[in-house]
């Protein structure tokens, strides 16, 4: 998979609270309207092994067991997005972890009130994005196609 330039990729998870609250379309729509290209999407249930890898940086936190329980409480939707500096752009669209303090206009700022039930996950660096996309998607689940609106989403020297 190519993770350079306009092909930079990132992982978004639409979390169980967003699935239960029927926010999937609203969330995906915000990325689409921004001009971000979707290159992979699937609904899946998460297991302990995958969650231990995904949240390994939080393994020693007191809230870790409840985080794992929450992330297994219903299926999630994993999405791979692609674009120029997309890891950073997607984090900005999502807003900060504590949703009730997230900036109005961001996904968490507009759609959530909680720290744990904060509707989305987004990779936090290009290095982690590569690992996370490869953790959640097989190579043949990521689609390489040209998007006709790129002519208007990016300037010629950015494409
Ligand atoms: P982010 O999801 O913004 O990248 P993170 O990687 O620090 O934040 O934490 C992953 C998730 O763990 C977060 O979305 C919600 C949960 N979490 C983080 N800090 C928490 C806390 N203090 N109490 C409960 N859940 C927490
Ligand atoms: Mg994180």
């Amino acid at each position: 998979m190519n993770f350079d330039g306009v092909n930079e990729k990132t992982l978004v998870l639409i979390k169980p609270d967003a699935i239960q609250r029927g926010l999937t379309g609203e969330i995906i729509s915000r990325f689409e309207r921004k001009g971000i290209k979707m290159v992979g999407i699937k609904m899946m249930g998460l297991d302990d092994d995958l969650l231990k890898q995904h949240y390994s940086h939080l393994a020693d936190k007191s809230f870790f067991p409840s985080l794992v329980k929450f992330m297994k409480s219903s299926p999630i939707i994993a999405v791979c997005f692609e674009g120029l500096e997309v890891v950073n752009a997607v984090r900005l669209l999502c807003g900060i972890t504590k949703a009730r303090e997230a900036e109005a206009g961001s996904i968490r700022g507009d759609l959530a009130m909680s720290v744990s039930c904060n509707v989305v996950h987004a990779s936090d660096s290009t290095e982690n994005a590569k690992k996370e996309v490869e953790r959640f998607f097989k190579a043949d689940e990521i689609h390489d196609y040209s998007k006709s609106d790129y002519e208007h989403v990016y300037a010629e020297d950015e494409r």
Side-chain angles (χ1 to χ4, degrees):
M1 291 181 220
N2 183 352
F3 285 78
D4 296 330
V6 83
N7 294 314
E8 184 174 298
K9 293 175 180 55
T10 194
L11 178 78
V12 167
L13 302 180
I14 300 176
K15 293 186 178 181
D17 54 329
I19 303 287
Q20 294 294 338
R21 294 173 58 207
L23 294 172
T24 302
E26 164 79 31
I27 291 168
I28 290 176
S29 173
R30 287 174 178 236
F31 296 111
E32 287 184 321
R33 277 157 39 204
K34 177 78 169 168
I36 294 172
K37 179 179 173 184
M38 184 161 44
V39 293
I41 182 166
K42 61 177 169 181
M43 181 174 254
M44 59 194 289
L46 304 181
D47 62 22
D48 288 324
D49 278 354
L50 192 143
L51 283 164
K52 272 180 198 156
Q53 290 173 40
H54 183 66
Y55 285 131
S56 60
H57 61 298
L58 301 171
D60 58 355
K61 301 284 186 197
S62 59
F63 59 81
F64 186 72
S66 52
L67 173 63
V68 169
K69 189 177 170 198
F70 165 63
M71 291 299 289
K72 292 196 313 185
S73 64
S74 78
I76 56 91
I77 291 174
V79 190
C80 179
F81 285 114
E82 186 180 272
L84 186 61
E85 296 172 13
V86 75
V87 172
N88 186 50
V90 163
R91 287 286 288 191
L92 290 172
L93 282 186
C94 288
I96 62 166
T97 311
K98 187 176 178 182
R100 59 185 171 274
E101 288 181 6
E103 194 173 1
S106 68
I107 291 168
R108 286 167 168 171
D110 288 353
L111 302 178
M113 282 295 285
S114 169
V115 175
S116 47
C117 298
N118 59 7
V119 295
V120 278
H121 163 82
S123 308
D124 64 5
S125 66
T126 52
E127 194 186 12
N128 284 337
K130 187 173 190 317
K131 285 186 204 156
E132 291 182 358
V133 168
E134 289 173 353
R135 181 176 298 140
F136 281 82
F137 288 92
K138 297 180 193 130
D140 67 2
E141 293 172 330
I142 300 296
H143 300 274
D144 185 9
Y145 64 101
S146 49
K147 202 155 181 297
S148 59
D149 66 0
Y150 264 28
E151 194 182 326
H152 298 103
V153 170
Y154 297 108
E156 214 170 340
D157 64 343
E158 293 170 322
R159 271 176 250 146

